[in-house]
Amino acid sequence: MKMRAAVVHASGAAAPFAQSRPIQVTKVDLGKPGAGEVLVRIRAAGLCHSDLSVINGDRPRAMPIALGHEASAEVVECGADVGDLTPGDHVVLVFVPSCGCCLPCMEGRPALCEPGAAANTAGTLLGGHRRLSLAGSPLNHHTGVSCFAEYAVVSRRSCVRLDIDISHREAALFGCAVLTGAGAVINAARPRVGQSVAIVGLGGVGLSALIAAVAAGAGEVIALDLNETKLELARELGATLTIRANAPGAVESVRERTKGGADFALDMAGAVPAFELAHLITRRGGTTITSGLPNSSACFPLALSQLVGEERTVRGSYLGSGVPARDIPSYIALYQRGRLPVDRLMGRVWTLDTLNEGFDHLHSGSGLRDVVLMD
């Protein structure tokens, strides 16, 4: 079938993207779903820094590529061997397909699925196929999703079926922003009631982590960002202390408020200065967690004697360190009960044709979780 999709032909474009135009919306060919695959109609797709990182070259991917990885969709057709989905089902797409058979999957860590990671790197679906083409040449899939498009063919392993009545605009956020941010708190940090949680970077992922920390009963929820509007929203969402990340004395303010540093400090910005700040505000015996994905060349020196002498923990969290098929419905249920006010994180609405301008807005750091609506 023919459809419109947002295609990036080369990475490394400079902002403003409204001028450099790295995203070209064009007609592409989409093949039928093969065994274990599903054809879906994309209904809503979120804009994320992981997409921006492909555009600017921070995360090299095979080119050309059909962009997009956070989406809510409707099942149109199921390929062979897909017996648990039917046309009309509402699904949230997940950006790491999990095979269920490799060691990480069997250990309950689908974010680390080895065939899924290999497929994402290669620009294919989990089964190794490309169902997209442009002018007769193969077109790469982005994390097996490629949701900045009217339709997509995805692996069944990239779909989480929803039985809950929720709009597609709301549901899309749970595919990455909420899954990643809330999961980093709930599955990776696991704070006990009364412990302190500090969050550096208040994009869609960081704000999701913040509302999860509040829901988990953290005693102090400290938010740090460069944008005052986001800090104001953080206060409204339950932050007990907000600090401009570049303010003189920011580290000292956190340490004074928490009597030595946060039990858990999360870098959600994906930049070395943000991780450094998170590390500096972590208490002795505490844990620093990063869910950001900076350029692969970005490094941070750690004092090994400090790790030992202060019994520090430093860890990453990918895909919320959880199980999407279990976590997404659980997070949506919390949202519907008012425990995770995800609706407060919604930003602007864009179209496929205004995606370059949308990524300029994301790049500015002033936006919340913007979305493309296909209707």
Side-chain angles (χ1 to χ4, degrees), residues 265 275 278-279 282 285-290 300-303 306-307 311-317:
F275 179 83
H279 185 65
T282 304
T287 300
T288 308
I289 299 170
T290 179
F300 178 79
L302 290 172
Q306 183 187 41
L307 288 180
E311 291 195 355
R312 295 284 202 101
T313 299
V314 176
R315 65 162 294 177
S317 175

Side-chain angles (χ1 to χ4, degrees), residues 41-130:
R41 177 189 176 193
I42 304 298
R43 302 296 297 275
L47 280 67
C48 177
H49 271 90
S50 294
D51 304 302
L52 179 60
S53 295
V54 174
I55 294 170
N56 66 20
D58 281 344
R59 298 190 72 194
R61 293 292 183 185
M63 295 288 165
I65 190 168
L67 205 59
H69 73 282
E70 175 187 276
S72 175
E74 178 183 343
V75 174
V76 176
E77 180 184 348
C78 296
D81 302 328
V82 178
D84 57 345
L85 291 176
T86 58
D89 281 349
H90 183 178
V91 294
V92 171
L93 303 183
V94 179
F95 60 89
V96 179
S98 53
C99 71
C101 300
C102 68
L103 183 58
C105 283
M106 289 190 291
E107 291 176 336
R109 306 180 74 186
L112 304 183
C113 175
E114 293 165 347
N120 282 359
T121 300
T124 69
L125 301 183
L126 182 61
H129 305 288
R130 291 180 179 85

Side-chain angles (χ1 to χ4, degrees), residues 210-211 214 220-221 233-241:
L210 186 145
I211 60 178
V214 173
E220 294 281 357
V221 179
L233 177 58
R235 290 190 288 271
E236 295 173 5
L237 291 172
T240 56
L241 177 66

Side-chain angles (χ1 to χ4, degrees), residues 168-225:
H168 285 282
R169 183 181 179 186
E170 294 167 302
L173 275 70
F174 289 86
C176 178
V178 180
L179 183 66
T180 300
V185 172
I186 294 169
N187 297 316
R190 298 184 178 183
R192 297 191 304 271
V193 172
Q195 287 188 303
S196 55
V197 177
I199 296 151
V200 181
L202 300 177
V205 175
L207 287 169
S208 295
L210 186 145
I211 60 178
V214 173
E220 294 281 357
V221 179
I222 301 169
L224 302 98
D225 198 274

Side-chain angles (χ1 to χ4, degrees), residues 230-255:
K230 290 185 176 180
L231 292 173
E232 180 180 350
L233 177 58
R235 290 190 288 271
E236 295 173 5
L237 291 172
T240 56
L241 177 66
T242 59
I243 302 172
R244 283 189 66 90
N246 59 354
V251 173
E252 291 74 16
S253 296
V254 175
R255 289 188 169 277

